[in-house]
Amino acid sequence: DDEPGDFVQGLGGVLRHDTRTGLGTFKRGHLLETRVVHFGRFTELALDGRGYIAGWSGITFSGRLALIHRMGFVPESAYVELGGETLRGSAEARYRDESLAVAQVHLGLPIWGRLRASAFAELGQVYGGPPGVGPAWSVGVGVNLILIPESERLLRLDVAVGPDGPRVSFGVGHPF
């Protein structure tokens, strides 16, 4: 049974192919990851694909498609979460269920020196339990500051609008 304080551990494997360049502001390359983990009472299959393209004059394009599918008895404490970094227009963990699908696109634009602007759109869906939660979405803009030019670590301020109205969030690094 699912009890408060449950600890979920599992055993499995990950296949990863990562050609991304940069640490915090990925400019080119891709990440492809497949993960299969068995947690005793349930099994997780995860597919995650991310692509980054450097355009002209410092403009960057990036996108992500991800699926986390859990099969078997998934305790509520092990539900996947949609919101926050995976859906900036909603609060962290706003949507929770056994499985998740998400698509994100991001456009980065240089403004001046270490200051950048961004525009993004995200669409996600949690599923597996009782029906009733439809797809969630958000669109927004952001201002990014490259903190340390050598590492290209970003400090982000994002303003997004989704089904719950407007939301302001802060983050460090690329959102995905």
Side-chain angles (χ1 to χ4, degrees):
D1 291 340
D2 188 27
E3 297 292 330
D6 269 358
F7 181 73
V8 178
Q9 56 188 358
L11 181 64
V14 176
L15 292 175
R16 174 183 272 198
H17 180 67
D18 191 350
T19 66
R20 299 176 293 178
T21 60
L23 295 173
T25 59
F26 302 118
K27 294 181 179 159
R28 62 178 44 96
H30 62 268
L31 168 70
L32 302 171
E33 182 176 289
T34 302
R35 181 176 65 243
V36 178
V37 182
H38 182 66
F39 292 95
R41 297 186 288 177
F42 69 95
T43 300
E44 174 184 282
L45 169 63
L47 305 170
D48 192 349
R50 306 172 192 199
Y52 307 86
I53 300 170
W56 62 100
S57 300
I59 296 173
T60 57
F61 303 93
S62 52
R64 176 185 186 209
L65 291 172
L67 171 71
I68 301 173
H69 185 72
R70 293 184 170 170
M71 302 159 280
F73 175 76
V74 181
E76 194 171 325
S77 63
Y79 278 7
V80 292
E81 300 174 346
L82 180 63
E85 287 295 307
T86 55
L87 194 68
R88 287 171 272 181
S90 297
E92 191 73 36
R94 166 71 170 85
Y95 305 99
R96 300 178 70 239
D97 210 328
E98 295 174 3
S99 299
L100 151 75
V102 66
Q104 298 173 283
V105 292
H106 182 97
L107 171 67
L109 306 162
I111 296 177
W112 177 72
R114 297 186 300 173
L115 195 60
R116 295 182 58 82
S118 62
F120 55 89
E122 303 158 325
L123 178 65
Q125 172 79 48
V126 292
Y127 62 94
V133 177
W137 57 271
S138 69
V139 294
V141 294
V143 176
N144 310 302
L145 176 65
I146 298 174
L147 294 174
I148 305 169
E150 297 80 34
S151 71
E152 297 185 347
R153 289 288 180 193
L154 284 179
L155 181 62
R156 295 189 340 267
L157 169 65
D158 295 322
V159 178
V161 176
D164 300 326
R167 182 170 182 273
V168 176
S169 62
F170 298 94
V172 176
H174 197 281
F176 55 86

